[in-house]
């Protein structure tokens, strides 16, 4: 069975490929299939937005053999900012604003917030639309705290300010394998893979 990953984010695509690893599925990106998502992400939850993206690409894939279309909607939820940027994580301060600027602004907004109240989590909802139209979702999270400065060069997006107290490192200071083993995306994709393995007897 082919899995088409409905994301335009190359960093996410790379992580999803690594997390799925060698499997009974043939994994391709939407780009490799010449497809792109033009649906508005107007859902109110991560899961709704993941389903919107998966349905959009599934509706455009016309091959007889069919494919599972998998989409990831994710973001950073900061408790002291009432959950911001949340489902608006990619759009926060504008899609074209650099993450260096976005991260600096989030740190600035937390200036007076003490360490115990800087709790945050990355959330990832993964949705799959199967060739027969069935829809499945899975979710994963990772808990951490917003740091006082950017740290680390790995990962992408908000990783440099997402600090893991137990490891004394940001997720941008983890290796790819270390991040995937504990991340929101790792947890969500592994939960989804279990469901797909059951359905397809892989
Ligand atoms: P697609 O919709 O095409 O998949 P996107 O980047 O627009 O790509 P989202 O709407 O799901 O994806 O936005 C997720 C944003 O949340 C992403 O751009 C990052 O800013 C942030 N984010 C998600 N996972 C992250 C991670 O593992 N590390 C750092 N930031 C992350």
């Amino acid at each position: 069975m082919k899995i088409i990953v409905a994301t335009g984010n190359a960093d996410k695509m790379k992580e999803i490929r690594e997390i799925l690893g060698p499997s009974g599925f043939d994994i391709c990106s939407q780009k490799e299939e010449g497809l792109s998502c033009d649906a508005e992400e107007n859902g109110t939850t991560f899961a709704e937005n993941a389903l919107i993206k998966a349905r959009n690409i599934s509706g455009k894939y016309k091959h007889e053999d069919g494919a599972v279309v998998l989409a990831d909607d994710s973001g950073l939820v900061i408790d002291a900012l009432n959950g911001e940027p949340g489902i608006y994580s990619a759009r926060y301060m504008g899609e074209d604003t650099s993450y260096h600027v976005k991260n600096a602004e989030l740190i600035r907004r937390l200036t007076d917030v003490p360490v115990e109240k800087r709790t945050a989590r990355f959330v990832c909802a993964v949705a799959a639309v199967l060739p027969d139209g069935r829809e499945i979702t899975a979710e994963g999270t990772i808990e951490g705290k917003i740091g006082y400065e950017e740290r680390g060069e790995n990962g992408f997006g908000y990783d440099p300010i997402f600090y893991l107290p137990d490891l004394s490192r940001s997720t941008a200071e983890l290796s790819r394998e270390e991040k995937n083993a504990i991340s929101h995306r790792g947890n969500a994709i592994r939960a989804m893979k279990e469901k797909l393995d059951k359905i397809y007897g892989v």
Side-chain angles (χ1 to χ4, degrees):
M1 178 59 70
K2 178 184 278 208
I3 295 183
I4 301 173
V5 184
T7 180
N9 180 322
D11 294 303
K12 267 191 195 178
M13 186 65 217
K14 199 168 162 188
E15 288 190 359
I16 292 169
R17 269 192 208 281
E18 286 167 1
I19 296 160
L20 284 171
S23 69
F25 297 101
D26 168 23
I27 297 151
C28 330
S29 66
Q30 63 179 35
K31 194 172 169 194
E32 284 164 334
E33 291 296 330
L35 299 171
S36 64
C37 178
D38 53 9
E40 198 190 332
E41 287 180 43
N42 56 9
T44 56
T45 62
F46 291 106
E48 275 174 28
N49 281 336
L51 273 168
I52 287 170
K53 292 186 260 193
R55 285 179 190 141
N56 185 267
I57 295 295
S58 181
K60 291 175 176 173
Y61 186 72
K62 299 291 181 202
H63 294 259
E64 262 174 38
D65 298 344
V68 172
V69 175
L70 200 75
D72 159 323
D73 198 70
S74 44
L76 177 63
V77 175
I78 302 177
D79 293 322
L81 300 180
N82 295 315
E84 278 187 61
I87 59 169
Y88 302 104
S89 290
R91 290 165 271 180
Y92 182 64
M93 298 180 78
E95 295 256 2
D96 296 331
T97 304
S98 81
Y99 275 89
H100 188 57
V101 170
K102 296 188 196 205
N103 287 337
E105 173 62 6
L106 288 174
I107 289 171
R108 190 200 61 76
R109 290 179 65 193
L110 294 188
T111 306
D112 296 324
V113 179
V115 67
E116 67 275 11
K117 294 207 169 122
R118 296 173 80 93
T119 49
R121 67 205 52 78
F122 274 128
V123 179
C124 176
V126 176
V129 176
L130 309 191
D132 63 8
R134 266 182 293 172
E135 298 180 339
I136 312 172
T137 58
E139 203 157 298
T141 58
I142 179 173
E143 300 287 332
K145 290 194 171 189
I146 301 304
Y148 291 88
E149 58 184 8
E150 284 191 302
R151 280 175 56 176
E153 304 291 329
N154 304 333
F156 64 97
Y158 299 106
D159 279 322
I161 60 166
F162 191 76
Y163 186 73
L164 300 169
D166 289 350
L167 300 181
S168 305
R169 281 184 284 170
S170 77
T171 42
E173 292 178 302
L174 302 181
S175 69
R176 299 221 297 269
E177 293 76 14
E178 286 171 322
K179 181 181 171 189
N180 292 339
I182 56 171
S183 75
H184 52 315
R185 182 162 297 105
N187 294 332
I189 293 281
R190 282 187 290 273
M192 174 59 80
K193 176 146 187 308
E194 242 175 66
K195 296 185 189 196
L196 293 176
D197 284 349
K198 276 203 190 111
I199 291 171
Y200 292 104
V202 175

